[in-house]
Amino acid sequence: MRIEDPWYDAVATGGAELGCARATAPSHLPAARVTASPRQQQRPVRRPAAHEVYQAVQHSAAFQQVRRRYRRFALPVGAAFLLCYLGYLVLAVSAPGLMARPVIGVLNVGMAAFLVQFAATFLLTWLYARHARLRRDHSALELRWETQEMTRAAVSAAPGEGAR
């Protein structure tokens, strides 16, 4: 049974519902070592611990792609906005005559620059949300499902941690 809310953490942390199918560990995670000894063959196959699952996902190409897409957008846009804001502050302190120059009626350059900063904040928020929705959310959601399924398999395989 797959939970419809991908952000629900109870399954990933060991609060799995009854009747959930157990997922198998992916092949890129550390596998169990099986020997010819009958005693060791009776032991259950070693499943990865939760921290191993998250480390494997962190090193995966899909995770790196999501992080790369985030950095390519957020760092340049954040730096540009920070420079504009600091430029506004420097102008306000060092050039008060310029900032006091009237533009329209009682609206001066300082107030207009502040309104531009205010509008830019909302514009950048909208651009960030749009970029996340179009470029990252789908991949991140798939990673989230994969991580939950792998963690659920790891937690359910651990002795004494299935029921809390």
Side-chain angles (χ1 to χ4, degrees):
M1 170 195 261
R2 188 174 199 175
I3 297 175
E4 294 304 317
D5 183 5
W7 306 112
Y8 180 67
D9 281 335
V11 175
T13 58
E17 291 83 11
L18 294 175
C20 288
R22 290 188 179 187
T24 58
S27 60
H28 65 275
L29 293 176
R33 182 179 287 180
V34 180
T35 61
S37 167
R39 181 177 179 197
Q40 288 183 350
Q41 285 182 354
Q42 292 175 353
R43 290 184 183 173
V45 175
R46 180 188 175 278
R47 304 227 180 190
H51 70 278
E52 291 172 333
V53 169
Y54 284 102
Q55 286 175 349
V57 170
Q58 183 179 9
H59 296 300
S60 71
F63 182 81
Q64 296 302 322
Q65 181 184 20
V66 170
R67 294 297 299 163
R68 188 172 30 258
R69 286 179 178 174
Y70 169 76
R71 284 190 301 265
R72 283 186 182 169
F73 179 83
L75 293 179
V77 170
F81 181 75
L82 185 62
L83 285 175
C84 289
Y85 179 72
L86 291 176
Y88 169 74
L89 290 178
V90 168
L91 278 176
V93 171
S94 64
L98 173 68
M99 299 298 265
R101 187 172 295 159
V103 176
I104 299 173
V106 295
L107 183 70
N108 60 24
V109 173
M111 285 190 258
F114 172 74
L115 291 175
V116 168
Q117 289 284 324
F118 193 72
T121 302
F122 284 101
L123 176 67
L124 290 178
T125 302
W126 176 77
L127 285 174
Y128 178 82
R130 181 177 182 269
H131 180 268
R133 186 182 71 244
L134 295 177
R135 306 277 169 104
R136 296 190 325 263
D137 283 352
H138 184 70
S139 300
L141 190 60
E142 286 179 0
L143 279 171
R144 174 76 177 191
W145 279 116
E146 180 181 338
T147 305
Q148 280 188 345
E149 289 174 4
M150 292 180 343
T151 306
R152 181 184 309 126
V155 168
S156 64
E161 291 187 22
R164 292 184 183 189

